[in-house]
Amino acid sequence: MKRRGQGILTLCTILVVLFIWIHSMIPAVYSSQESSAVLVLLMKLFEKLGISAVLTEHIVRKTAHFLEYMLLGILMTGTVTGRKGRGSRSFLGLALLTVPFVDETIQLFVEGRSGQLQDVWLDLAGCCAGVLLWTGARAVILHKKMKG
């Protein structure tokens, strides 16, 4: 990957990590208000689309966990696979393990929040999905380049 693209991926990765950790610092009452607002928005959207769905704040929160970590997995995989060196895969694994543990640890010190082991597992599942999406997309692109 070109240097500029690599720099943009790295910056986006750092911004996503900061977004995740800053959101972990928000007290529970405000975090709940944010999730409730998203829930209302989604319910209105589904209603307009004629989709009958049972959504709860819990589902919104867990889906957000998964999706933000999937994005992190995509970005971090792109960042690391663009670098040369033997330790890049090890760094990717360690970084994708570290971020959710730090995330849940931060929450131990925030009013009304608690660190949840099941959230670490959900976050790691999101990371894995992101890694697989990046790797799969890259394989398809390389395959198409080789064919034509």
Side-chain angles (χ1 to χ4, degrees):
M1 183 179 295
K2 292 189 171 125
R3 246 184 124 121
R4 185 169 185 216
Q6 191 65 41
I8 291 170
L9 270 177
T10 302
L11 176 62
C12 289
T13 301
I14 291 167
L15 291 174
V16 167
V17 171
L18 289 174
F19 174 84
I20 290 169
W21 287 347
I22 288 169
H23 264 78
S24 290
M25 295 176 195
I26 297 173
V29 66
Y30 300 114
S31 179
S32 181
Q33 288 172 356
E34 186 177 58
S35 296
S36 293
V38 172
L39 175 60
V40 168
L41 186 82
L42 287 172
M43 293 302 288
K44 286 180 182 178
L45 175 65
F46 286 171
E47 186 180 318
K48 284 188 182 199
L49 295 173
I51 299 170
S52 176
V54 177
L55 285 179
T56 64
E57 189 178 314
H58 180 77
I59 291 170
V60 168
R61 285 176 170 280
K62 298 308 172 186
T63 302
H65 262 274
F66 183 86
L67 292 175
E68 64 191 14
Y69 276 93
M70 183 174 71
L71 177 59
L72 178 64
I74 290 167
L75 292 172
M76 197 169 288
T77 304
T79 298
V80 170
T81 56
R83 301 200 185 284
K84 305 281 186 220
R86 296 185 75 185
S88 61
R89 286 190 182 139
S90 298
F91 173 79
L92 176 65
L94 182 61
L96 290 177
L97 281 170
T98 301
V99 174
F101 278 101
V102 170
D103 180 23
E104 295 302 313
T105 302
I106 289 168
Q107 292 180 42
L108 294 173
F109 303 99
V110 178
E111 183 182 336
R113 305 284 297 261
S114 62
Q116 302 290 318
L117 184 59
Q118 65 262 26
D119 283 350
V120 173
W121 286 110
L122 182 62
D123 299 344
L124 290 173
C127 287
C128 289
V131 169
L132 291 173
L133 280 171
W134 177 275
T135 305
R138 188 166 185 242
V140 167
I141 291 166
L142 290 175
H143 181 71
K144 284 185 177 186
K145 279 184 179 180
M146 291 174 70
K147 271 188 149 181

